[in-house]
Amino acid sequence: MTPSGGLHLKTTILILIMISVAPLGDMFLGKGMKQVGAMGSWAPANLFHFFFRAFTSGTVWLGIGLLLTFFVAYLLVLSWADYSYVQPASSASYVLIALLAHFVLREGISPIRWAGIAVICLGVFVVGHTHPQTPEHHSW
Amino acid sequence: MVTQSVFYILIVFVGTGGELCVSRAMKTIGEITDFHPHAIARVVGRALALPRMWMGISLMAVAFFALLGMLSLAKVSFVFPSTALSYAVGALGGKIFLHERVTPQRWLGVALVCVGVALVFLGKR
């Protein structure tokens, strides 16, 4: 396997991990936060109680665990691939979260939103056919 | 509505700023070639020793709290697509702050993703 082929393969594997666990994490977060209920006001005491309820929810923690898995994969892939490549490529998770929201959380999704999801897929396809690493890097 | 707007701005701009910091920090460490657990743990340890990594994590934590707040107010199928502006902000940030060469094809992909997510946003009901 050529170095470029290997780079593409490991980038693809890690991005697949990212787009699998992130939507599940998002779904559990959303489910957990709906159980917590809406934030009433910006008053400090209210904010404290709101986030206390959030962080004592098992469903929220399940979501956080999955998102931490996503984050580790994300850190690894960012060690060699361009941010501007990884971020759009990982957007496939938006499609999966919409499917999970519709079929698992029973959220209604309008036809125009499904059309949007199809365009996102096309965008991800286009981004996925660019090289993950561009040569120009300078200190920031 | 104001609350949702505040959450939205925090998620998109502060969150993307955090991701740019994390990306820069990981480039400082260099490409990872050893995927054994102890090697990954060593890389995570090195990453956590970088101030820029902590700056990124702090900004992303703020964005995460905002996300939790937003999820308590709106549908999952609305919240995640509606934050698509982060794709444009991220591509611009990658070009300006990380000096990444964003190819025309990649810009096209980013634009398509943004259009798609905009449609998703318009489909809110």
Side-chain angles (χ1 to χ4, degrees), chain B residues 33-51:
Chain B
T33 52
D34 187 350
F35 287 87
H36 291 97
H38 64 275
I40 290 174
R42 210 163 41 234
V43 167
V44 171
R46 283 175 60 199
L48 292 178
L50 297 169

Side-chain angles (χ1 to χ4, degrees), chain A residues 82-84 134-140, chain B residues 20 23-24 90-102 106:
Chain A
D82 284 350
Y83 174 77
S84 52
T134 51
E136 294 173 18
H137 291 288
H138 307 285
S139 61
W140 170 29
Chain B
L20 289 167
S23 179
R24 187 69 192 96
L92 280 172
K95 186 172 176 59
I96 295 169
F97 296 113
L98 304 182
H99 302 283
E100 294 178 355
R101 191 171 61 83
V102 184
R106 206 181 286 179

Side-chain angles (χ1 to χ4, degrees), chain A residues 31-49:
Chain A
K31 190 174 181 186
M33 290 312 295
K34 289 294 180 302
Q35 292 165 353
V36 167
M39 193 181 84
S41 73
W42 289 92
N46 187 63
L47 276 178
F48 176 80
H49 285 295

Side-chain angles (χ1 to χ4, degrees), chain B residues 55-98:
Chain B
M55 190 195 299
I57 289 173
S58 302
L59 293 173
M60 288 169 75
V62 170
F64 182 71
F65 276 91
L67 177 68
L68 289 182
M70 189 88 165
L71 282 171
S72 75
L73 298 171
K75 286 180 176 181
V76 168
S77 59
F78 169 73
V79 172
F80 291 101
S82 72
T83 56
L85 190 61
S86 62
Y87 289 99
V89 175
L92 280 172
K95 186 172 176 59
I96 295 169
F97 296 113
L98 304 182

Side-chain angles (χ1 to χ4, degrees), chain A residues 15-109:
Chain A
I15 286 178
L16 281 176
I17 291 172
M18 286 166 56
I19 63 176
S20 302
V21 297
L24 285 170
D26 293 339
M27 184 193 74
F28 282 115
L29 270 191
K31 190 174 181 186
M33 290 312 295
K34 289 294 180 302
Q35 292 165 353
V36 167
M39 193 181 84
S41 73
W42 289 92
N46 187 63
L47 276 178
F48 176 80
H49 285 295
F50 175 76
F51 285 113
F52 180 80
R53 288 199 307 274
F55 287 108
T56 50
S57 162
T59 312
V60 168
W61 276 109
L62 181 56
I64 290 173
L66 288 163
L67 290 175
L68 281 176
T69 305
F70 159 82
F71 188 63
V72 170
Y74 188 53
L75 286 185
L76 293 175
V77 80
L78 279 181
S79 74
W80 67 80
D82 284 350
Y83 174 77
S84 52
Y85 173 86
V86 175
Q87 195 205 30
S90 66
S91 71
S93 61
Y94 280 93
V95 179
L96 294 176
I97 188 61
L99 290 169
L100 287 170
H102 182 66
F103 291 108
V104 180
L105 300 181
R106 304 285 176 198
E107 290 185 1
I109 299 178

